[in-house]
Amino acid sequence: MEPRPSLLVSQLSAADAEDAVTVLCDAFQDYPVMRYVLGSTGDYQRRLRTLIGFFVSARTFRREPVLGVHDRTGTLSAVAVVSLPGQREAPEALITLREQIWAELGAAERQRYEAYGSACEPFTIPSPHYHLNMIGVRRSHAGRGLARKLLEAVHRLSDADAGSAGVSLTTETEQNLPLYEHFGYRCVGHAVVGDGLKTWAFHRPADGR
């Protein structure tokens, strides 16, 4: 099979899910919210893959975008996971998977995850919009502009959708704040979740709206 064209953003399929999880696990290896939710006990690497695998599966079940960038060898190098505008009822299979995942990870882990969600909830944008759940680049591919390409692709999706008020995201790394501001986001909220974990909520209005 010939390598895919380099540095083009593409919509990933369910067949790409495991590769997408691998990229995100590498990118979020030491990310504060992952460390907070999963804690310090057990096999962290396995548990991280289980949690991120659930996030990717949720988008697949809901038929929502998982975007990727491949390098010149065809290796998936960067991934963005996106929620579409509007509330969608979770499929029964997704509800079942969610309960299985939290039964495996543990009650304390679920409680910490829900505490994180509660901390972010006051800053939810009320109008229908795209939400960037995760964006990650392999550490070996950092500094090549891949995150920019994914961000721009998500912005194009939102700008082309007349029903979208823009794109929202959260970050738990203070060093990311100037980066998102550079791309037109404004901070709409800040909270301390617990155990030193902080989160910032951002929104980028749709072009011309």
Side-chain angles (χ1 to χ4, degrees), residues 177-199:
L177 306 188
L179 171 68
Y180 290 124
E181 289 169 349
H182 172 76
F183 283 104
Y185 289 84
R186 61 183 181 88
C187 186
V188 295
H190 169 54
V192 177
V193 181
D195 294 337
L197 177 67
K198 300 177 182 179
T199 186

Side-chain angles (χ1 to χ4, degrees), residues 5-17:
S6 63
L7 306 185
L8 296 178
V9 176
S10 61
Q11 172 82 48
L12 302 181
S13 69
D16 298 308

Side-chain angles (χ1 to χ4, degrees), residues 81-132:
V81 182
V82 184
S83 292
L84 295 174
Q87 295 292 326
R88 288 174 172 76
E89 186 174 348
E92 189 64 34
L94 177 57
I95 296 173
T96 300
L97 176 62
R98 181 181 64 200
E99 296 307 310
Q100 292 173 345
I101 292 299
W102 289 120
E104 177 182 342
L105 293 178
E109 287 77 1
R110 183 172 193 167
Q111 188 175 43
R112 289 193 292 269
Y113 178 74
E114 290 176 350
Y116 166 72
S118 295
C120 296
E121 188 172 358
F123 313 123
T124 301
I125 305 300
S127 302
H129 65 284
Y130 288 71
H131 180 69
L132 181 56

Side-chain angles (χ1 to χ4, degrees), residues 35 38-50 104-105:
R35 291 288 182 179
L38 295 175
S40 58
T41 61
D43 183 343
Y44 177 78
Q45 299 296 337
R46 178 184 60 79
R47 287 151 58 80
L48 179 66
R49 189 169 188 91
T50 297
E104 177 182 342
L105 293 178

